[in-house]
Amino acid sequence: MSLNEEFLKLYRQVEMYIDSKYPYTDSSIYEHIKNLEKSMVKKDIEKATIYDALRNMRNQLSHRNVGEFIEVTQKSIDFLKEEINEFINPLTSKDIMLPIDKVYYVYLSDNTIDVLDEIYKNGYDVLPVVNESDQVIGIFSLDVILKSIYSKKIGSISKESTLNDFKDLIGINDQLKERYDFVSDEATVEEIISTFNKKEPKKLKMLFVTKYGNSKNPIIGIITPHDVINHK
């Protein structure tokens, strides 16, 4: 089989998968390209350009009988094979998340001064707060300190202070500027992108990955927009 013939065969397979994603459009491949162009993922934007070039190549080979003047490269073949593999085995949360063993998280029993030192030294923005079962119960950040001062919950931080002093302010749904949510470890990257793109009054800051995507399960990782944008 020539590369041109293999290209057309693989392209038809890719088309089949794309057709199933966009069943109510006149040109599923064109719709797919438009969606890739609007993606928050750099890799998808690059794919849009490649798809457009391959679409034109396929049209030339199929409809204009100019195959002898067009030479399909192995790189084009490899791209289509990779796309088919991604359709069959889509990337999930587990493929792009930051595993929990690489996440700095805290407990209510942790000393407040020590945690603030870690925030200052490492430039942490927000820290997941977990219980003894490693279930996420809240978010700790400098905003929590400011809220406590503003609401007069606590006047100063003593050397003996623990995060438990702020337990009424760290709730996931109590954050002023951002929101947080849970996602299962089997959620696809496409579903994760859709979650981050969902229009809400508060911007989604972080997803907590658990087995079934709820707060009752131990946290196994986190996903931020940066993880989605830069995943390989």
Side-chain angles (χ1 to χ4, degrees):
M1 182 186 297
S2 69
L3 286 180
N4 285 17
E5 291 171 330
E6 186 176 7
F7 170 82
L8 290 173
K9 178 181 177 181
L10 291 171
Y11 190 94
R12 282 193 291 271
Q13 292 181 47
V14 169
E15 263 190 328
M16 179 184 69
Y17 288 112
I18 294 176
D19 284 344
S20 68
K21 289 183 64 176
Y22 309 99
Y24 305 112
T25 183
D26 293 334
S27 176
S28 59
I29 186 69
Y30 182 66
E31 192 70 23
H32 188 55
I33 290 170
K34 285 198 302 181
N35 284 334
L36 289 173
E37 288 173 338
K38 294 184 290 185
S39 174
M40 65 186 290
V41 182
K42 294 177 181 178
K43 184 179 177 182
D44 285 346
I45 297 172
E46 294 170 358
K47 280 185 179 183
T49 302
I50 297 172
Y51 264 112
D52 195 40
L54 296 185
R55 179 176 65 91
N56 289 325
M57 185 187 301
R58 178 260 185 187
N59 290 340
Q60 295 290 332
L61 288 171
S62 297
H63 305 309
R64 305 207 173 186
N65 197 28
V66 291
E68 60 188 285
F69 299 103
I70 297 176
E71 184 176 349
V72 174
T73 64
Q74 186 61 48
K75 195 170 184 178
S76 298
I77 298 294
D78 292 341
F79 174 83
L80 292 175
K81 287 181 177 179
E82 288 172 6
E83 286 299 283
I84 291 170
N85 182 59
E86 283 193 25
F87 283 122
I88 297 173
N89 304 295
L91 293 176
T92 67
S93 302
K94 289 181 287 189
D95 297 308
I96 68 170
M97 72 180 186
L98 182 65
I100 192 61
D101 59 357
K102 295 183 179 180
V103 176
Y104 182 70
Y105 55 93
V106 292
Y107 297 94
L108 288 177
S109 58
D110 286 344
N111 181 274
T112 303
I113 299 294
D114 291 343
V115 172
L116 290 175
D117 282 344
E118 289 295 324
I119 290 175
Y120 177 75
K121 287 189 296 185
N122 296 287
Y124 294 129
D125 189 8
V126 297
L127 300 176
V129 183
V130 303
N131 60 20
E132 296 305 318
S133 299
D134 289 337
Q135 298 164 318
V136 178
I137 58 174
I139 294 293
F140 185 78
S141 67
L142 294 179
D143 280 348
V144 171
I145 300 292
L146 294 175
K147 279 195 298 181
S148 70
I149 295 173
Y150 181 76
S151 62
K152 298 181 181 179
K153 292 279 185 182
I154 186 169
S156 61
I157 302 174
S158 68
K159 292 181 180 180
E160 292 76 29
S161 173
T162 66
L163 299 190
N164 191 60
D165 297 332
F166 304 90
K167 65 181 179 180
D168 294 334
L169 301 171
I170 64 170
I172 292 174
N173 297 322
D174 296 329
Q175 306 307 304
L176 296 176
K177 298 178 181 177
E178 298 101 1
R179 62 187 176 93
Y180 301 80
D181 208 342
F182 292 83
V183 66
S184 80
D185 60 1
E186 294 295 338
T188 66
V189 170
E190 189 170 356
E191 291 169 338
I192 292 167
I193 292 172
S194 178
T195 300
F196 273 110
N197 285 337
K198 188 177 180 181
K199 299 298 182 183
E200 295 281 352
K202 295 179 185 178
K203 184 178 180 180
L204 182 59
K205 176 81 172 180
M206 183 183 295
L207 287 172
F208 303 118
V209 184
T210 66
K211 184 169 180 60
Y212 298 112
N214 60 57
S215 60
K216 296 178 180 179
N217 310 130
I219 182 174
I220 59 176
I222 63 172
I223 298 174
T224 65
H226 180 271
D227 299 315
V228 178
I229 292 170
N230 295 288
H231 81 269
K232 301 300 182 183

